[in-house]
Amino acid sequence: MSHPGPVSTRAEALGRVLVVDRSPRVRRLVVRALFNAGYRVDEVDDGGEALRRLATESYDALLSDLRMPALSGLELLAAVKRLSPDVEVIVLSSSDPDDMRSAIQALRLGAHDYVARPPASAADVVLAVQRAVEKKRLKESNQRLLRELESLGRTDPLTQVASRRALDQALGREIARARRHGYGLGMIDLDIDHFGALNDTVGRPGGDTLLAAFAQILASTLREGDIVYRYEADEFVVLLPYAELPGTLVAAERLVAAVAARPIPVGSTLLPVTTSAGVACLTLEDVGADSLLARAQAATAEAKAAGRNRAVAHPLAMARPVVIRKRRRG
């Protein structure tokens, strides 16, 4: 069901939301909260109808019941991520242990957040949707930035990822935004393990092939909105806006595992490659970009000293984060 009436410029600016729940009462509570907050809201009672809406309409966020008869919330989430990956999904979960396990699984599968079902308050629903829409628009902004990087020549010509110059510009901007709005900012520094020896083995052209393939593994493993930069030689840096320490460390571990799992073809040789990753997050102690990068690089050195092929978080990443506005849980 759509909610008729003139669509205000403010509602368009805030975002459009689709609510999917089997219960008319829950839908009514969620829709009223979002409508009163100024969002443009549509509602349906099953996953199949939600997919039909997504095929013809554009939405910023979708709130989904976990237990629907024809198509479960997890099945709907998988379909949305496949068919409309730009839409941020929030699951509605009761306190039932099975529902909570499903909610955690949904987060692992790419859901943005979960809130209580029925919601504990209208504010919980509005805040979750506000953060989801902000995240979606940040992704869109970063995608535009990538296109601008290509057009302005701020792309590393060998690896086709963003260059050190682009990182220098992005760091100042993202740090200022994180401090202004109280959001997290994560950084991952990565070095290819034993790159000098590998380069000697395959020669300079083979080393260039290895670097380009390594960069593409990183870029293809990252989630939308996160950007990989070539810092120098075999050192790469990833910026993760809106990320706190746990999420940044998980992303680093995912990158390390992806590299180890994909040997790189260089000529007729399939070359096993590993990487060491250092994780740091913006804290109140950081005076600027240099200290954040230095801590990430120090953590990379710790990862190498500990045996390589792993991710390590800098200890200061756990102290006094800059985050003020934390994600609310239902």
Side-chain angles (χ1 to χ4, degrees):
M1 178 187 297
S2 297
H3 292 268
V7 178
S8 70
T9 303
R10 178 169 179 264
E12 290 287 9
L14 283 176
R16 189 175 181 189
V17 185
L18 179 61
V19 178
V20 192
D21 198 287
R22 67 191 186 278
S23 164
R25 174 176 170 268
V26 172
R27 290 201 309 275
R28 187 165 57 251
L29 289 171
V30 173
V31 167
R32 182 185 300 131
L34 294 172
F35 187 78
N36 289 343
Y39 289 90
R40 185 178 175 188
V41 191
D42 295 332
E43 61 174 285
V44 295
D45 60 5
D46 68 76
E49 179 59 28
L51 292 178
R52 285 188 284 275
R53 288 293 186 97
L54 288 169
T56 58
E57 304 284 346
S58 177
Y59 292 95
D60 296 297
L62 179 147
L63 285 88
S64 172
D65 183 3
L66 282 169
R67 295 189 183 186
M68 294 180 288
L71 192 69
S72 73
L74 291 178
E75 290 169 332
L76 176 59
L77 170 63
V80 171
K81 288 300 172 185
R82 186 174 65 254
L83 302 173
S84 302
D86 292 340
V87 177
E88 293 294 335
V89 177
I90 301 165
V91 296
L92 299 165
S93 171
S94 73
S95 57
D96 177 84
D98 287 340
D99 266 11
M100 291 304 298
R101 280 191 289 270
S102 294
I104 293 169
Q105 178 67 9
L107 294 178
R108 290 174 178 156
L109 293 174
H112 167 75
D113 203 349
Y114 69 87
V115 296
R117 181 184 184 275
S121 71
D124 286 347
V125 176
V126 172
L127 181 59
V129 169
Q130 176 187 342
R131 294 296 301 272
V133 173
E134 287 172 347
K135 180 180 176 182
K136 178 177 183 287
R137 292 182 177 172
L138 176 66
K139 289 178 182 178
E140 293 169 346
S141 173
N142 281 341
Q143 288 166 353
R144 286 193 297 271
L145 173 62
L146 283 174
R147 290 192 291 270
E148 290 171 10
L149 289 176
E150 293 172 0
S151 64
L152 295 174
R154 291 197 291 269
T155 300
D156 179 64
L158 173 63
T159 62
Q160 295 302 301
V161 298
S163 66
R164 179 171 179 170
R165 177 187 173 195
L167 174 64
D168 291 341
Q169 295 174 342
L171 261 176
R173 181 180 62 251
E174 294 298 343
I175 288 175
R177 177 158 45 188
R179 292 194 186 283
R180 184 167 60 250
H181 297 296
Y183 296 140
L185 176 63
M187 175 182 284
I188 305 170
D189 177 73
L190 302 107
D191 278 355
I192 298 176
D193 293 332
H194 304 296
F195 178 71
L198 292 170
N199 201 38
D200 290 343
T201 299
V202 299
R204 176 67 180 274
D208 288 350
T209 299
L210 190 158
L211 286 169
F214 177 81
Q216 292 311 307
I217 292 173
L218 299 184
S220 64
T221 304
L222 289 170
R223 295 186 177 182
E224 274 189 278
D226 302 333
I227 301 177
V228 58
Y229 302 82
R230 186 184 182 196
Y231 188 69
E232 60 182 20
D234 64 315
E235 182 179 1
F236 294 78
V237 171
V238 176
L239 281 186
L240 299 91
Y242 288 78
E244 300 171 39
L245 177 63
T248 305
L249 185 56
V250 166
E253 290 169 342
R254 188 184 302 119
L255 291 172
V256 170
V259 170
R262 294 166 63 177
I264 294 174
V266 179
S268 60
T269 304
L270 203 57
L271 207 60
V273 176
T274 62
T275 185
S276 298
V279 170
C281 289
L282 188 67
T283 70
L284 297 176
E285 282 75 14
D286 285 309
V287 295
D290 289 347
S291 60
L292 177 61
L293 179 59
R295 288 191 292 105
Q297 291 172 326
T300 303
E302 291 180 32
K304 287 184 177 292
R308 297 183 170 83
N309 191 28
R310 67 194 64 211
V312 170
H314 190 280
L316 189 56
M318 305 172 192
R320 302 188 69 203
V322 76
V323 176
I324 299 169
R325 294 169 60 183
K326 292 186 177 180
R327 179 182 296 173
R328 293 281 299 279
R329 296 296 186 190

